[in-house]
Amino acid sequence: MRKYLLLVLVLALVVSFTAVGFAQEKTEITVAAGSVGKELELTQQAAQMYMEEHPNVKINVLSTPDLANDRLGLYLQFLEAESPKVDVYQVDVIWPGDLAQHFIDLNKYGAEEVTDNHFQEIVMNNTVEGRLVAIPWFTDAGLLYYRTDLLKKYDREVPQTWTELEETAKYIMEQERAAGNPDFYGYVWQGNAYEGLTCDALEWVFSNGGGTIVSPDKKITINNEKAIEAIDMASGWVGGISPTGVTGMAEEDARKMWEAGNALFMRNWPYAYTLGNADTSQIKGKFDVAPLPAGDSGSSAATLGGWNLSVSKYSEHPEIAADVALFMASKKVQKMRAIEGSFNPTIKSLYKDEEVLEAVPFFGKLYEVFTNAVARPSTATAPNYNQASEIFFQGVHSVLTGESDASTAVQYMELDLKDLLGYEIGEPRQP
């Protein structure tokens, strides 16, 4: 009997140690993701979906800074040290050209079987020297958010031009303040000195006929009258229809002020739509979205945004990391993110999905805005885009804060871009 009990005990210990061994053999994958709006929550949800299907894999989601410039700085610390600590990176649409050397070719891990389902412009953007260094995850374009209730109350239309926006914002702001809300403003947007300001300012400049800072044929075009007019126009908003503090605002700052019911108009990305309709929002059911206003060009301009997933070539488990990236960019996950977070899919068929369109109606109405967005000059300035963008947004910021005038600022931009890139000066071109 004792021998039998001893044998049972030994077998139990063997099973126990084996179980521990299996638990220790779980492969850990770290995904560096954003935390703007519901980004972090939905990335964690996708990670849980993957782990339920792959019990031998544990996914750690690393929260990264909201500001794109700060996030890039963090990434470079890992990548330049060839660190294996992060396996999958959420990368901005403007980064593949600059960071390609650090990422694996996802086509070698099955991506080529699904890329036809995505917007081909983004696939091409993410393909560097024949290598797919990032799988499209979600796309973006700047939108105008507006209070439907207040436009109706004061019998005003959705503005089609920047001049109309200024006039409507000023009038309703004055009325709402007189009615007892001294914190009410006409327009909030991204005015801090970071990549978000490049996006906003490019929309002003391009919609006014001022080009794209650097043209696709590598000519520096920012120093022109239309660009100066557009930047001057925006500087006039600060301390007027926009708070003085707008020069320190990023996406989340503008969204919080908007959701508190303290703004008539807001420029932001699609992610703010679902959050604006949350139960905690003061403006739930009281707003809608439209294309941004036009300037002298007569057409609206929305800067192309969006994020992708790349796998570090320093990962110790590139095959599993690639599988995680492809899963997170899959139709199933993109549909979940579209419905629950209004993140624009990169998979074309989801724009005809009834459940997606029911949750986010403007995906259908504004489809052309997303497919015709204006690209930042990341290709024309690669591998120096981030320095070029900083020259632009710092120059614009100096005008917004009153440290410089627009004419002087664009002259310095032109000189600094010429020193950085070595390109010739050219005239702005509108596609």
Side-chain angles (χ1 to χ4, degrees):
M1 184 68 177
R2 287 181 179 176
K3 288 183 179 180
Y4 175 75
L5 290 173
L6 183 60
L7 179 60
V8 171
L9 180 60
V10 169
L11 287 172
L13 287 171
V14 169
V15 170
S16 176
F17 282 126
T18 302
V20 171
F22 282 144
Q24 290 175 341
E25 287 175 7
K26 230 179 208 191
T27 302
E28 291 199 26
I29 298 295
T30 297
V31 178
S35 56
V36 174
K38 295 184 72 173
E39 274 191 296
L40 187 63
E41 174 188 336
L42 295 182
T43 303
Q44 291 169 334
Q45 189 171 325
Q48 186 60 40
M49 290 164 64
Y50 184 90
M51 290 188 288
E52 287 172 1
E53 295 182 16
H54 303 82
N56 290 328
V57 176
K58 179 183 178 184
I59 300 178
N60 303 307
V61 179
L62 175 67
S63 177
T64 60
D66 286 353
L67 300 191
N69 305 74
D70 294 341
R71 193 179 304 181
L72 179 61
L74 175 66
Y75 285 5
L76 289 173
Q77 290 180 38
F78 287 113
L79 295 171
E80 290 177 352
E82 300 185 2
S83 171
K85 291 182 178 179
V86 176
D87 302 277
V88 181
Y89 289 87
Q90 177 182 332
V91 298
D92 200 336
V93 70
I94 54 176
W95 294 345
D98 286 359
L99 300 181
Q101 61 179 315
H102 298 291
F103 300 138
I104 65 172
D105 180 2
L106 289 169
N107 279 331
K108 294 182 178 179
Y109 295 85
E112 60 186 355
E113 297 175 13
V114 298
T115 48
D116 284 349
N117 299 326
H118 295 262
F119 289 127
Q120 290 307 294
E121 294 83 356
I122 305 176
V123 173
M124 290 171 61
N125 178 81
N126 297 352
T127 302
V128 180
E129 296 179 353
R131 299 168 56 246
L132 183 70
V133 298
I135 187 75
W137 197 17
F138 65 95
T139 188
D140 256 340
L143 297 173
L144 178 69
Y145 286 74
Y146 63 94
R147 288 281 298 275
T148 52
D149 60 330
L150 294 179
L151 290 185
K152 182 179 179 180
K153 177 180 177 181
Y154 294 104
D155 194 25
R156 295 296 176 111
E157 300 294 326
V158 178
Q160 302 298 307
T161 67
W162 291 113
T163 300
E164 290 176 5
L165 181 143
E166 288 181 4
E167 293 172 350
T168 301
K170 184 175 186 295
Y171 175 74
I172 294 181
M173 181 180 77
E174 290 172 350
Q175 297 300 313
E176 287 295 292
R177 288 186 171 190
N181 185 357
D183 298 323
F184 192 86
Y185 280 92
Y187 187 39
V188 290
W189 37 281
Q190 296 74 50
N192 201 353
Y194 77 116
E195 186 64 28
L197 179 54
T198 291
C199 295
D200 285 45
L202 178 58
E203 290 162 349
W204 313 330
V205 170
F206 189 85
S207 72
N208 205 49
T212 55
I213 310 166
V214 177
S215 65
D217 60 349
K218 299 186 177 183
K219 300 287 176 57
I220 298 167
T221 64
I222 188 57
N223 188 5
N224 66 81
E225 287 302 317
K226 293 297 183 183
I228 292 169
E229 287 174 6
I231 297 169
D232 259 337
M233 169 190 70
S235 70
W237 301 336
V238 180
I241 62 171
S242 303
T244 304
V246 76
T247 57
M249 280 188 176
E251 285 84 355
E252 288 292 83
D253 305 301
R255 180 179 70 83
K256 288 171 183 175
M257 188 170 175
W258 162 256
E259 287 181 14
N262 289 327
L264 174 65
F265 297 120
M266 173 181 71
R267 185 272 180 207
N268 218 319
W269 306 101
Y271 85 95
Y273 184 86
T274 297
L275 293 165
N277 277 315
D279 290 338
T280 54
S281 172
Q282 298 298 309
I283 44 91
K284 178 182 178 181
K286 299 177 181 178
F287 71 93
D288 206 343
V289 293
L292 288 160
D296 280 355
S297 74
S299 62
S300 170
T303 297
L304 175 67
W307 294 81
N308 312 275
L309 294 171
S310 297
V311 174
S312 170
K313 74 178 192 178
Y314 316 116
S315 170
E316 294 175 350
H317 309 285
E319 188 169 340
I320 297 174
D323 193 57
V324 170
L326 293 178
F327 175 84
M328 287 192 166
S330 68
K331 185 174 182 178
K332 176 168 66 174
V333 175
Q334 287 205 18
K335 180 174 179 176
M336 176 272 288
R337 290 169 59 85
I339 292 172
E340 298 190 25
S342 60
F343 288 100
N344 279 67
T346 62
I347 295 175
K348 293 170 283 188
S349 62
L350 287 173
Y351 287 86
K352 297 179 180 179
D353 186 287
E354 291 183 3
E355 292 177 311
V356 170
L357 293 178
E358 183 181 355
V360 199
F362 73 84
F363 277 8
K365 290 190 300 180
L366 301 182
Y367 182 76
E368 295 298 317
V369 172
F370 304 119
T371 54
N372 294 299
V374 180
R376 284 163 279 176
S378 56
T379 300
T381 59
N384 298 304
Y385 171 74
N386 286 295
Q387 297 98 308
S389 178
E390 183 167 1
I391 288 170
F392 179 63
F393 70 64
Q394 291 288 5
V396 172
H397 195 258
S398 72
V399 180
L400 300 179
T401 57
E403 297 171 24
S404 178
D405 62 88
S407 180
T408 302
V410 297
Q411 289 179 45
Y412 278 114
M413 288 181 209
E414 182 180 75
L415 291 171
D416 291 343
L417 288 169
K418 197 170 190 312
D419 287 344
L420 173 69
L421 305 169
Y423 296 168
E424 295 180 358
I425 309 302
E427 294 297 319
R429 296 189 309 164
Q430 303 290 112

